[in-house]
Amino acid sequence: MIKKILILSTVLMIAACTPKEDVPDFKAFTDVKEKKAAFFNFMYPAVIAENARVKEEREFLESLVMKLDNDTDVSSKELERATELSTLYKETLTDSGITADWVNAMLVKVDYIPAPLVLSQGANESAWGTSRFAREANNYFGQWCYTKGCGVVPSKRNEGAAHEVAKFDSSQGAVHAYFMNVNRNNAYAELRIIRAKLHSSPEALTPEQEANALANGLIRYSERGEAYVEEIQAMIRHNSQYWR
């Protein structure tokens, strides 16, 4: 079972460049609704920023589609940008360069993730921001890393295990790592297929409906499998007032 795998150096660089943020004391909230609202309000800007980044990357890829369709040469600067994205998303450019197949494969990976899904997983994995890893490492998604000293050592780590719970300087770093994990990890290929099918359908869905559908592709995010997926979907439904 694959357990929320991380990290590339780009994630660490983003975290290092992000100023320290003012994190609410989520444990201090006694009213459940107030705690939920505080958590979602705290995490939401990072989700917006990540989706904006993905949108810009996707628009660049779509511009390449236009060039390929019109048989227009790709500039050296565009090739350089495409090469950077190919490395970031683990979709290698072959000797053939930028092809329709490569761009189409990238467009499956480079796509937005609806906020209700991101926020529900963040709330679930971090116990609404109160978990040890959320408080000590700004890790809201249970993400692991494998270099000694890269994070926080779990107190119940199995003997012989080398993983740590990744540490970030901000919620933005954690959300960025989550996006890259979901958008390029082979464990979540099914989620990306579901997303591509939804986007090719003429039926317009709300972010909540999209989130519920995409959650089916997270069966390998947790060892709990289907039970985990159902729990995330229940959280999406039960917190619908916040998605409006």
Side-chain angles (χ1 to χ4, degrees):
M1 191 68 66
I2 295 180
K3 175 78 173 176
K4 310 145 201 165
I5 302 171
L6 211 47
I7 271 178
L8 283 189
S9 59
T10 52
V11 174
L12 299 178
M13 286 191 293
I14 286 177
C17 295
T18 305
K20 190 169 181 63
E21 62 188 339
D22 185 17
V23 182
D25 181 4
F26 296 112
K27 278 195 167 185
F29 286 90
T30 56
D31 184 276
V32 173
K33 289 184 178 180
E34 288 182 0
K35 177 186 286 188
K36 287 183 175 183
F39 181 82
F40 291 144
N41 287 337
F42 170 68
M43 296 294 292
Y44 190 61
V47 179
I48 292 296
E50 281 303 299
N51 274 321
R53 174 187 61 81
V54 169
K55 181 176 183 290
E56 188 276 330
E57 292 173 348
R58 188 173 177 85
E59 287 174 347
F60 167 73
L61 293 169
E62 289 171 341
S63 74
L64 296 180
V65 173
M66 295 292 292
K67 287 207 165 190
L68 290 172
D69 288 345
N70 295 321
D71 200 22
T72 304
D73 290 339
V74 174
S75 70
S76 58
K77 187 175 181 180
E78 288 170 328
L79 179 58
E80 181 180 352
R81 177 80 192 284
T83 302
E84 291 173 353
L85 289 177
S86 75
T87 301
L88 186 62
Y89 284 92
K90 300 181 179 179
E91 194 66 46
T92 306
L93 277 170
T94 66
D95 293 340
S96 300
I98 297 173
T99 63
D101 286 343
W102 179 83
V103 175
N104 289 334
M106 284 289 290
L107 286 171
V108 173
K109 291 183 174 181
V110 184
D111 208 343
Y112 74 90
I113 305 174
L117 180 60
V118 185
L119 296 174
S120 294
Q121 276 200 273
N124 183 283
E125 293 288 338
S126 72
W128 299 95
T130 65
S131 71
R132 173 197 170 199
F133 301 124
R135 290 181 288 107
E136 294 183 10
N138 290 312
N139 191 324
Y140 300 93
F141 299 93
Q143 297 167 111
W144 291 0
C145 56
Y146 294 89
T147 302
K148 187 174 181 179
C150 64
V152 178
V153 177
S155 58
K156 296 181 180 179
R157 186 173 67 177
N158 293 336
E159 185 177 353
H163 72 275
E164 298 181 13
V165 176
K167 188 171 184 176
F168 303 97
D169 284 347
S170 67
S171 60
Q172 187 68 62
V175 173
H176 175 75
Y178 166 86
F179 266 66
M180 297 312 301
N181 190 27
V182 170
N183 276 344
R184 70 185 176 193
N185 194 314
N186 289 336
Y188 314 119
E190 181 61 26
L191 180 148
R192 298 191 291 271
I193 291 172
I194 294 170
R195 181 173 60 188
K197 288 180 178 177
L198 289 178
H199 290 182
S200 64
S201 170
E203 183 180 3
L205 300 179
T206 66
E208 181 179 348
Q209 290 170 325
E210 283 189 320
N212 187 69
L214 295 187
N216 290 304
L218 293 171
I219 197 164
R220 298 178 69 185
Y221 201 93
S222 166
E223 294 177 352
R224 295 172 56 220
E226 189 62 40
Y228 177 80
V229 169
E230 291 174 357
E231 187 169 280
I232 296 299
Q233 290 173 326
M235 290 183 72
I236 292 169
R237 291 193 304 272
H238 294 162
N239 294 294
S240 60
Q241 61 180 303
Y242 300 101
W243 317 142
R244 304 192 190 103

